Amino acid sequence: MVKKTILKISGMHCASCSANIEHALAKEKGVISTSVNYATEKAYLEFDPQVSSIERIQKVIKDTGYAATEDSIADTLAGHDHHKEASLKKMTDLKKRFFYSLVLGLPVIYAVMGGLVGLPLPKFFERYGLPIQFILSTGVILTCFNIWTSGSKNLVKLRPNMDSLVFVGTAAAYFYSTALFARALFGTKIGMENLYYESAIFILIFISLGKYLEAITKGKTSEAIKKLIGLQPKEATVIKNGQELKISIADVKEDDIILVRPGEKIPVDGIVVKGYSSIDEKAITGESIPVEKKEGSQVIGATINKTGSFKFKATKVGSDTMLAQIIKIVEEALGSKAPIQLLADKVSLYFVPAVIGIAILAFLIWLIFGYQFAFALTVFVSVLIIACPCALGLATPTAIMVGSGLAAQHGILIKTSDALEIARKVNSVVFDKTGTLTKGEPEVTDILTLEQINDSEKILQLAASIEKKSEHPLAQAIVKKAEQEKIELKDARNFEALPGKGVKAKIDGKEILFGTRNLMAENDIKTDLAENKMIVLEDNGKTVMILAADKKIIGLIGVADTLKEYSRQAIEILHKMGKKVAILTGDNKRVGQAIARQLEIDYVFAEVLPQEKAQVIRTLQNGGDIENWKLARLRPSSGDAGEIGNSRQKRAVAMVGDGINDAPALAQSDLGIALGSGTDVAMETGQIVLIKDDLRDVVTAMDLSKYTLKKIKQNLFWAFFYNIIGIPIAAGVLFPFTGWLLSPMIAAGAMAFSSVSVVSNSLLMKAYRPKLQN
């Protein structure tokens, strides 16, 4: 049995920290998979509880130099967000450290740098400059001592992180300057220009500022998830013993009866037992129009009651509610890693040791070439400081955080980061028919009159009157149509159901038959005059039922599974995106072709058994022979690489479905997209879940995935480019040609800017608008 858990990690300072934790956990027996996200500061784990335990895993993390606590979505929804409080405290501490280091450091920076721009230097500084620099610099070091502590500990454990780079660089500058200051105390003449206190101070000030800005921007990347968490109300009005009681959301139990008044949020999921209202479900499903609810309707926690009061029975509470499940799926998506991130993770693991090696090598080379120790030290410190593993570590997770949050706001749940990369490669989209492209419920589409009756309302009245006693789905569709038209039904006597054929009864003294051709033939009723009209309806995928009175056919009723509202628009956009589209259905070819013609779908795989669906997808993926399947080609072949009809061409296939029988095909496909209105099995199998029943979200999901991946690539490019360019410049490669050497202070500023710029680029994703709105 595999157990999943999320741990909140404290003490991480850069991407190397997350890589170190992953490396340590990978060695632990019983840990099956682990993903540590530096941006969310969480570890997402799968482990065997019979071999390892949460306590054991926490100890491994503690031994690595960090702390870990369990992350509970239920507690967060109940208002016990300890991690949020810890994050706010951490942000306040970072702000204070930056402020104190700035106040203590500015006089030293002014004293050293002011003269270069013609600013006057106070006389007391001219006289006591060295001790003032030493005291104030020591104050800055103590203010930012947590960086030294973290850096030195990880260095000793041979698991250096970014703080180790800062520690080595600033400690070298500080102790070198302190050694010179000590010599000055014993009479050696040392000028302030010979000291490097300002470099150490400036670096720590910028690092403190960078950490503070990073904490702010990292917090903004998860705002969408915070908004989801904030949707749930804190209290609920429960009816107990006829009394209305206000209780905490955490105390609501299954089967509690809850009262919701107009304007209030629904606290948990449930079923309406009394009352009528319209509910604004936009926050959860993305549906813009309020949904009518009556007795027996399901309601979703965190949605808003707009009009009437009603009572409902709680069916799902705590971590079982749809809101909690959405948050859980988004959290797990943040924990998973896109394949593109693996390169950055590997680089982060070896990045800091490599930078230390480069810094030492550069230091030695400049000394060998005869340059002064101070010059070589400047190079050494600059290389250590400008290197930034944080930008690499933040590049992917911040983009995924914003992208997943945006998707959730649009009613789309991206369950794995893999889906982001796969969606870009998809060139063939296969749809299940019933319940996916169509509503999955038969509806009356045509009422045709024959013989002496030229009144379609009369035909519907007779058909509904005879069918009102039947439980067949087609019968229910006809009765429902009559109710919608507000037609008064007649009394049917001597009702008899004839399985597989139809029904018969007496209405107003006439013998009424309603059913198939076989029923008519058995009763010697000729269908010749109606045959042409019946064929036209059947060719359009409709089931035709014949109505006869006193041995004469008087009407035809066509019933079909009708298209969902936005099916046509979704297919049109997929075609514009260059995707080939197919239907995969267990229905007969004629019905499949009829639906496909309406939607201008390219191909139909019909009469496919549930167990064969995965095999069809596999055949498509491998470029196998698909002509063996009952395949109908409906649109002219374009001959492109995504051509479904080209049996030799391998394809990247997305499967869209909603039923249990779609689960194997969803699992087999490159990208499984499940409808939230479908079964739990389908939603568990799909990599992307569409909460609302709108197929346009298939387009939005694919487009948003592509957009998120584009941002990840941009972030990684700038992170790699920054380090590839910055480190050699800091090492002094330009000095022989230009005489210019990078100052450690500029290096510190550039390093701080790199992380913030990567996160800011991810935050720009908030301006994204779906293709349907462009």
Side-chain angles (χ1 to χ4, degrees), residues 536-543 559-561 590-592 594-595 597:
V536 170
L537 291 175
E538 287 171 340
D539 284 343
N540 285 305
K542 298 172 183 177
T543 299
V559 178
D561 185 4
R590 188 178 61 194
V591 173
I595 296 296
R597 273 195 296 269

Side-chain angles (χ1 to χ4, degrees), residues 9-277:
I9 309 293
S10 57
M12 289 199 297
H13 301 285
C14 69
S16 294
C17 296
S18 59
N20 287 335
I21 296 171
E22 279 189 6
H23 193 62
L25 288 174
K27 297 178 181 178
E28 171 66 14
K29 288 183 179 180
V31 175
I32 298 166
S33 68
T34 178
S35 175
V36 180
N37 190 319
Y38 170 54
T40 59
E41 297 182 336
K42 291 181 181 180
Y44 304 81
L45 298 124
E46 288 185 345
F47 67 97
D48 185 345
Q50 294 181 339
V51 180
S52 189
S53 64
I54 295 290
E55 293 74 19
R56 174 63 190 162
I57 290 169
Q58 287 174 317
K59 185 178 185 304
V60 171
I61 294 172
K62 184 178 180 181
D63 292 342
T64 311
Y66 309 90
T69 54
E70 280 197 82
D71 194 52
S72 170
I73 292 173
D75 284 347
T76 302
L77 287 173
H80 311 307
D81 195 349
H82 306 298
H83 303 312
K84 181 180 179 181
E85 295 169 9
S87 296
L88 289 173
K89 183 179 182 300
K90 179 182 176 181
M91 200 175 294
T92 303
D93 290 343
L94 289 171
K95 185 178 181 180
K96 286 179 179 178
R97 285 198 176 101
F98 166 65
F99 177 75
Y100 293 145
S101 61
L102 182 65
V103 170
L104 291 169
L106 274 179
V108 177
I109 295 170
Y110 177 87
V112 176
M113 307 298 292
L116 298 177
V117 292
L119 295 175
L121 186 66
K123 288 187 177 180
F124 75 90
F125 227 110
E126 290 180 4
R127 187 171 182 181
Y128 302 108
L130 293 184
I132 290 174
Q133 279 199 60
F134 170 71
I135 293 168
L136 292 178
S137 298
T138 303
V140 173
I141 296 292
L142 293 173
T143 300
C144 303
F145 201 66
N146 64 310
I147 296 174
W148 274 31
T149 304
S150 167
S152 58
K153 281 183 178 178
N154 283 282
L155 199 60
V156 170
K157 292 178 180 179
L158 299 180
R159 287 192 293 263
N161 59 2
M162 190 194 77
D163 285 354
S164 301
L165 298 179
V166 177
F167 164 68
V168 173
T170 55
Y174 176 78
F175 287 118
Y176 172 72
S177 300
T178 301
L180 292 179
F181 171 61
R183 288 177 62 191
L185 293 176
F186 292 97
T188 304
K189 189 174 182 180
I190 302 293
M192 285 195 297
E193 68 278 2
N194 298 122
L195 305 181
Y196 281 84
Y197 282 128
E198 81 283 355
S199 293
I201 287 172
F202 207 90
I203 289 166
L204 289 171
I205 290 172
F206 258 112
I207 296 300
S208 299
L209 174 61
K211 284 180 179 288
Y212 175 55
L213 293 176
E214 188 180 293
I216 293 173
T217 49
K218 275 167 62 180
K220 288 182 178 178
T221 59
S222 58
E223 276 182 0
I225 300 169
K226 291 175 183 174
K227 285 179 182 177
L228 286 173
I229 293 172
L231 288 175
Q232 183 162 300
K234 299 293 183 275
E235 291 182 324
T237 305
V238 177
I239 308 296
K240 289 189 176 180
N241 301 321
Q243 300 291 317
E244 295 180 15
L245 300 174
K246 283 273 188 185
I247 63 172
S248 168
I249 192 75
D251 297 327
V252 176
K253 309 294 182 187
E254 283 188 28
D255 297 329
D256 278 352
I257 302 300
I258 300 170
L259 172 67
V260 184
R261 296 184 175 89
E264 292 182 344
K265 285 186 177 181
I266 297 168
V268 294
D269 298 358
I271 297 175
V272 177
V273 294
K274 187 177 181 181
Y276 175 87
S277 185

Side-chain angles (χ1 to χ4, degrees), residues 373-664:
F373 180 85
F375 182 93
L377 180 64
T378 299
V379 170
F380 177 74
V381 173
S382 295
V383 170
L384 291 174
I385 298 307
I386 200 168
C388 187
C390 292
L392 287 171
L394 292 168
T396 300
T398 52
I400 289 174
M401 285 171 72
V402 178
S404 299
L406 280 171
Q409 287 179 346
H410 285 93
I412 299 166
L413 301 183
I414 300 174
K415 293 169 64 177
T416 67
S417 298
D418 286 0
L420 296 172
E421 276 197 65
I422 296 166
R424 178 180 62 91
K425 301 173 184 176
V426 166
N427 51 30
S428 304
V429 184
V430 179
F431 287 89
D432 168 53
K433 181 181 73 69
T434 307
T436 301
L437 289 170
T438 64
K439 294 178 180 177
E441 298 176 358
E443 290 184 7
V444 174
T445 57
D446 301 87
I447 302 174
L448 304 180
T449 59
L450 295 168
E451 292 292 330
Q452 70 271 28
I453 295 180
N454 192 28
D455 185 352
S456 59
E457 187 174 305
K458 179 72 173 176
I459 299 297
L460 181 59
Q461 182 188 45
L462 289 172
S465 297
I466 196 172
E467 288 283 26
K468 67 181 178 181
K469 295 183 179 180
S470 173
E471 295 181 355
H472 194 280
L474 297 180
Q476 292 175 4
I478 292 168
V479 174
K480 182 179 178 182
K481 178 69 173 178
E483 289 174 352
Q484 290 173 346
E485 298 292 331
K486 297 181 180 178
I487 294 174
E488 185 178 348
L489 302 185
K490 292 178 175 289
D491 185 33
R493 298 177 179 274
N494 302 329
F495 174 83
E496 185 180 353
L498 306 167
K501 298 174 185 176
V503 293
K504 70 177 183 179
K506 282 199 172 184
I507 298 177
D508 294 337
K510 294 181 179 181
E511 184 180 63
I512 306 296
L513 295 174
F514 188 49
T516 64
R517 286 182 178 86
N518 288 339
L519 179 63
M520 301 299 131
E522 285 181 3
N523 288 273
D524 298 322
I525 300 174
K526 293 184 179 181
T527 61
D528 298 350
L529 295 176
E531 198 65 39
N532 288 337
K533 291 184 178 181
M534 290 167 62
I535 290 171
V536 170
L537 291 175
E538 287 171 340
D539 284 343
N540 285 305
K542 298 172 183 177
T543 299
V544 181
M545 289 179 284
I546 308 166
L547 183 68
D550 288 341
K551 302 289 185 179
K552 290 184 179 180
I553 296 176
I554 59 174
L556 304 174
I557 293 182
V559 178
D561 185 4
T562 55
L563 294 173
K564 287 183 178 177
E565 185 178 3
Y566 298 114
S567 295
R568 189 186 307 277
Q569 189 178 357
I571 303 303
E572 285 176 0
I573 298 170
L574 285 171
H575 279 141
K576 287 178 183 177
M577 293 169 70
K579 316 292 183 187
K580 288 293 177 180
V581 184
I583 289 178
L584 180 62
T585 179
D587 216 332
N588 65 69
K589 184 185 286 190
R590 188 178 61 194
V591 173
Q593 285 179 311
I595 296 296
R597 273 195 296 269
Q598 292 179 57
L599 296 174
E600 296 188 356
I601 281 175
D602 303 288
Y603 302 96
V604 176
F605 296 94
E607 299 174 34
V608 182
L609 298 175
Q611 61 268 29
E612 294 177 330
K613 286 189 174 184
Q615 191 178 343
V616 173
I617 298 297
R618 191 181 307 112
T619 305
L620 285 172
Q621 290 169 319
N622 296 332
D625 183 9
I626 56 175
E627 300 302 331
N628 294 333
W629 301 99
K630 294 179 176 66
L631 169 69
R633 179 179 298 174
L634 299 174
R635 297 178 82 237
S637 169
S638 62
D640 60 36
E643 173 74 68
I644 288 187
N646 176 1
S647 60
R648 296 181 182 178
Q649 178 66 48
K650 289 191 176 184
R651 308 162 191 89
V653 181
M655 173 69 193
V656 185
D658 72 322
I660 291 174
N661 62 349
D662 295 322

Side-chain angles (χ1 to χ4, degrees), residues 258-314:
I258 300 170
L259 172 67
V260 184
R261 296 184 175 89
E264 292 182 344
K265 285 186 177 181
I266 297 168
V268 294
D269 298 358
I271 297 175
V272 177
V273 294
K274 187 177 181 181
Y276 175 87
S277 185
S278 60
I279 308 296
D280 181 356
E281 297 183 343
K282 180 168 55 181
I284 299 296
T285 67
E287 180 63 58
S288 57
I289 301 172
V291 181
E292 301 298 315
K293 301 290 182 181
K294 58 185 179 180
E295 194 171 318
S297 298
Q298 291 187 336
V299 291
I300 305 169
T303 55
I304 302 172
N305 182 26
K306 300 293 287 184
T307 52
S309 296
F310 65 91
K311 295 176 183 178
F312 75 96
K313 182 171 74 172

Side-chain angles (χ1 to χ4, degrees), residues 625-734:
D625 183 9
I626 56 175
E627 300 302 331
N628 294 333
W629 301 99
K630 294 179 176 66
L631 169 69
R633 179 179 298 174
L634 299 174
R635 297 178 82 237
S637 169
S638 62
D640 60 36
E643 173 74 68
I644 288 187
N646 176 1
S647 60
R648 296 181 182 178
Q649 178 66 48
K650 289 191 176 184
R651 308 162 191 89
V653 181
M655 173 69 193
V656 185
D658 72 322
I660 291 174
N661 62 349
D662 295 322
L666 288 168
Q668 176 61 44
S669 65
D670 297 284
L671 180 67
I673 302 176
L675 300 188
S677 60
T679 64
D680 291 341
V681 176
M683 287 190 285
E684 184 67 28
T685 308
Q687 294 156 286
I688 293 177
V689 178
L690 310 181
I691 299 176
K692 61 180 187 288
D693 217 12
D694 188 341
L695 284 185
R696 294 179 301 175
D697 287 342
V698 172
V699 177
T700 301
M702 295 175 71
D703 186 54
L704 185 54
S705 297
K706 183 178 178 181
Y707 179 67
T708 303
L709 187 66
K710 178 183 173 183
K711 281 292 181 182
I712 291 172
K713 287 183 173 180
Q714 287 176 1
N715 287 348
L716 286 173
F717 169 79
W718 286 113
F720 277 112
F721 179 80
Y722 166 82
N723 283 293
I724 290 169
I725 298 298
I727 291 174
I729 291 174
V733 295
L734 297 180

